[in-house]
Amino acid sequence: MSERDPDAYLVDQTGPPDPEVARLEGLLGRYALGADARPAASPGPDEAQASYLVSPRILRGTLAVAASFVAAMLLLRALRPAPPVWSVHGLPGVERIARGEWLDVPREAGLGVSIEAGDLGEVRLEPGARVRLDDEGRERHSLYLERGAARATIVARPREFEIGTPAGLSVDLGCRYDVVVDPSDGASTVRVLTGMVAFEAEGRTAFVPAGYETRALPGAGPFVPVHSAESPELVAWVRAVEREPALTSEQLQTVAEVSDDVVLYHLLRAVSRELREAALTRLVEVEGAASGPPPEGVLDDDEAWLAWHETVLGTAFRRR
Amino acid sequence: MEVLAESASLSPAKPANVARRRSRAARGAGVRPTPLRSEPAGAVSPDSREVALVERARGGDRGAFGELYERFAPMVHAVLLGRIAAREARDLVQDVFVAALARLPQLEEPGRFGAWLAAIARNRANDALRATRPESSLDAEPGAGSAASAGAAASIPTEKAEDADEAARVLAALRELPEAYRETLAMRLVEGLSGRVIAARTGLTYGSVRVNLCRGMKLLRERLTDGKVG
């Protein structure tokens, strides 16, 4: 019979949680690099274990880390000379891609095909991917991904680089992310590894922070982003309610169980007015704010509301 | 899709509650941790990927530098937080990496990147401390009962304000521990790094990390119990 190590949780985070260690983790976690900079209550260990959905404050935490990352990347970029052209690597016989040209990555190609996007970073292309360079000059640089998968690692100022797809435009806000286009229907998935992407189409914008993903269909715009490891139950609920004008009381009540402020934020643009109001109430709760803007502001999309959201969620610097 | 398969492994950690859910599932499935006593006494060497990243970063690879930032930023932040106020610590993380970037060609052993980076962080924190004015001392940490926090506390539920005060008290106690304990405990309790990850990032032996955590935790408990803070 093996002897249980009493320090297993403290040292390796294994075994039953030590209540005192867990309490201190809960208290001190607010100071973590990826956590909210402002003081806020962390769930106790019991509460956290019983929690069903995503932790609150993830968006602000992500933004804090992303902002530092992007700032460091920009400094790094300033220290290096900029490559003069968009060059292609890993594809024999193809050394560069010019504006308006298409690049087809053969299915038998290796995994090392990439485009060096000027001095902005790199875009890796999967076998089978097809892209066109739509570089529009110094202010805006873009690729159009018609099909296949691409991973962008971009060291650019927010909104300086974007990847278009049949279903929308993923605008880089300083990050690393994947874009995948299904060749059968043009459905596009954006999954963010670091930083944040704004996925825009049909008048809708999904802000996708690190760890989250969203999907869009041509003509339909992006769906509410969800964490890549989110429970299927929550994803199914979000998809069922976000564009539904008439919701059941049961569907509305579920809002009270959502703790993911990324989801709640995007539900403020849901079709159902009742859902928008419920999401606002819940967002104020999980943010720990004393009060939010009047619901009318949310519904009218007015400036006061936008100012409040930028203050609370800290996305002001990311807006165009 | 290879890109997506890789992205799953590179995705940032799921928030804590989900991680705990997985942890419980793993225990339920009979997954047991490696017995600690079988751990070799030597240092946990940095993985080959980290060494490769350092080499690539030295060659000017921006993606590699970005990955190093992601991997080491929590460790750097913990070192800073053990010395200077939380807000300054956040700001200084970036400075530490910029300084490291400039000096990267001087790093002789890529495998010692973590220890080297921690030393830069300590120096930067000391510089900041020397430049710190009295009114922005550590005692003014948000939630430590300062006048600034009193106004904020008035607008948030009492329970949260009490938590913030308690957190500030614990952080103050942690900062009074000997350096080795303070830094290791900050990495564990603030940043949520496991002992093995701390060893890999700092270049300490796993055994040293374990000792630092256990003894540091004992001291921290005593200080909190006795109220010997500040």
Side-chain angles (χ1 to χ4, degrees), chain A residues 15-51:
Chain A
D18 177 316
E20 178 65 1
V21 174
R23 185 182 78 87
L24 295 179
E25 281 181 295
L27 285 169
L28 293 176
R30 76 193 58 217
Y31 295 115
L33 188 58
D36 183 7
R38 294 176 300 173
S42 296
D46 292 340
E47 182 188 346
Q49 286 195 358
S51 179

Side-chain angles (χ1 to χ4, degrees), chain A residues 5 9-13 18 25 31-32 35 51-54 68 71 80 124 126 176 178 194 288 290, chain B residues 2-4 7 14 17 20-21 36 60 69-70 77 90 94 101 155 160 188 190 192 195 206 210 221:
Chain A
D5 177 1
Y9 184 73
L10 170 63
V11 179
D12 286 318
Q13 299 167 319
D18 177 316
E25 281 181 295
Y31 295 115
S51 179
Y52 169 62
L53 297 171
V54 179
S68 298
R80 281 173 50 81
R124 265 181 57 199
E126 285 279 276
R176 216 147 47 100
D178 293 335
T194 305
Chain B
E2 192 274 339
V3 165
L4 294 182
S7 75
K14 182 73 174 138
N17 53 348
R20 289 189 184 99
R21 204 163 67 215
L36 292 171
Y69 186 97
E70 289 174 50
H77 183 250
R90 282 173 189 271
Q94 181 187 320
L101 179 66
S155 64
K160 290 185 176 182
R188 171 65 186 85
V190 178
Y206 176 77
R210 183 184 173 80
R221 280 189 173 117

Side-chain angles (χ1 to χ4, degrees), chain A residues 264-293:
Chain A
L264 290 168
Y265 166 70
H266 286 87
L267 287 180
L268 298 177
R269 296 291 187 274
V271 172
S272 159
R273 179 189 182 103
E274 289 174 308
L275 179 56
R276 294 199 299 268
E277 290 176 337
L280 173 63
T281 301
R282 181 60 181 153
L283 183 60
V284 170
E285 282 177 13
V286 301
E287 290 292 336
S291 64

Side-chain angles (χ1 to χ4, degrees), chain B residues 32-47:
Chain B
R32 300 185 64 83
T34 305
L36 292 171
R37 289 179 179 78
S38 68
E39 186 69 18
V44 176
S45 59
D47 63 43

Side-chain angles (χ1 to χ4, degrees), chain A residues 48-175:
Chain A
Q49 286 195 358
S51 179
Y52 169 62
L53 297 171
V54 179
S55 165
R57 307 195 305 274
I58 181 66
L59 180 53
R60 286 199 304 271
T62 302
L63 287 169
V65 174
S68 298
F69 176 79
V70 170
M73 292 292 96
L74 288 172
L75 283 165
L76 174 59
R77 179 184 167 197
L79 292 172
R80 281 173 50 81
V85 294
W86 289 49
S87 51
V88 177
H89 303 282
L91 202 56
V94 181
E95 293 183 350
R96 61 181 60 195
I97 178 172
R99 183 178 173 184
E101 285 183 350
W102 286 94
L103 178 66
D104 284 281
V105 182
R107 296 197 176 278
E108 62 276 15
L111 296 172
V113 178
S114 64
I115 294 176
E116 189 169 347
D119 61 348
L120 305 175
E122 179 190 67
V123 180
R124 265 181 57 199
L125 298 170
E126 285 279 276
R130 185 167 201 254
V131 297
R132 184 184 65 217
L133 177 58
D134 288 337
D135 195 339
E136 295 173 8
R138 293 184 63 82
E139 299 299 321
R140 208 164 175 90
H141 309 270
S142 62
L143 279 177
Y144 179 76
L145 178 67
E146 185 182 72
R147 65 162 186 265
R151 167 171 293 178
T153 302
I154 298 301
V155 188
R157 291 181 178 80
R159 297 191 170 277
E160 203 172 341
F161 180 83
E162 59 197 24
I163 294 181
T165 74
L169 193 63
S170 60
V171 181
D172 175 83
L173 299 176
C175 56

